[in-house]
Structures are given as structure tokens and as C-alpha cells.
Amino acid sequence: MIKEFICLTAMTICATIASGCHNDNGITSVSASEFNKEITAGTAQLLDVRTPQEYAEAHIDGAVNINVQSDNFGKEAEKELSKDLAILVYCRSGRRSMDAAETLAALGYKVVNLKGGIIEWQDEGLPIVAAEAPEHSAAQ
């Protein structure tokens, strides 16, 4: 009986891990490679929820920026994003994007969260749009 229980528990844990950490609340958290596949499929909207300054420094190409820390995040999201397509959401490390994902899911969006944020994205060598360094003129 104990062996069956342990086996069933192990199978449940493996199934949960294999499912991409899907929650019943409309949020799925995925790795950078899975997130990239979702972007490449072109059937979702890409949302960067970091500050405008962070977004300007580097972001994933095609991302819309709505700061999750702003007081009107939910209203801005509803104004900018369609509920007809899933939202691919990311931040720096995955914490703020999960907060945003919970807000978006409560508003009726289907959300895919990048677990490790843009840090994981860059660690995987995936492309970003980086701010151009200002040109320096040589002293004459």
C-alpha cells in the first residue's frame, strides 16, 4: 500500500512538472525556450511589465510595455491588449510578471509567464533589442 502511494505521488509530481506548471487560474509558466516557441508561433501578444527605464535598456522584440507597478496597470492592459489572444508576459526575473499574470488572469486573459524573466531569456542566448549607446565625439 505504501509503495502504491509513493508511486502515485511520484507520478503526480512528474505530471505536474511535465505540464509546464499550468495553473487552473489561466496562467502557465514556461522556460525561455518554450516562451520563444510561443512568440515564434505568432498567436499571442507579448507584454513586458517592467519599468519604462528597464524596457528602454533591453527588451524582447515586439513587446508592449505596461509597468505592473503603476496604479492603473489593469486599465492600461485592458486598453492595449486583446482578450482574443493569449498574453506572453515577462519581467526581469519572473516575480513581477507573475503578479501581472494574476491580475491579467483575473481580468479574463489567458496568460503565459516567462519563469526566469529576461534574465533567463538572455542566459539562453535569445535575442533582445538593446538600447543603442550614445555616440561619443572625439575631442578635436
Side-chain angles (χ1 to χ4, degrees):
M1 181 111 180
I2 293 176
K3 284 183 179 180
E4 289 89 5
F5 176 76
I6 293 171
C7 185
L8 181 60
T9 302
M11 288 173 44
T12 302
I13 291 169
C14 289
T16 301
I17 292 169
S19 72
C21 298
H22 179 74
N23 296 326
D24 289 336
N25 60 0
I27 303 169
T28 304
S29 288
V30 298
S31 67
S33 61
E34 287 298 316
F35 198 77
N36 190 37
K37 288 178 189 173
E38 294 281 344
I39 292 170
T40 304
T43 58
Q45 302 161 94
L46 184 57
L47 177 62
D48 183 321
V49 297
R50 299 174 301 152
T51 66
Q53 294 81 10
E54 289 174 297
Y55 177 85
E57 290 172 11
H59 59 271
I60 300 172
D61 192 28
V64 171
N65 179 229
I66 305 173
N67 183 358
V68 71
Q69 295 172 328
S70 71
D71 292 335
N72 59 347
F73 173 75
K75 289 180 182 178
E76 283 295 314
E78 288 188 302
K79 190 167 71 172
E80 296 290 326
L81 304 169
S82 170
K83 290 186 181 174
D84 295 332
L85 297 171
I87 308 297
L88 304 175
V89 63
Y90 72 94
C91 65
R92 182 180 165 276
S93 66
R95 288 188 192 122
R96 286 178 283 174
S97 60
M98 185 52 82
D99 290 342
E102 290 171 357
T103 298
L104 293 167
L107 291 171
Y109 291 94
K110 180 181 177 227
V111 186
V112 177
N113 177 54
L114 176 54
K115 279 192 279 193
I118 200 166
I119 292 172
E120 179 185 339
W121 181 268
Q122 290 178 291
D123 286 349
E124 293 290 321
L126 294 164
I128 60 164
V129 176
E132 293 184 27
E135 291 187 29
H136 299 282
S137 57
Q140 301 269 334

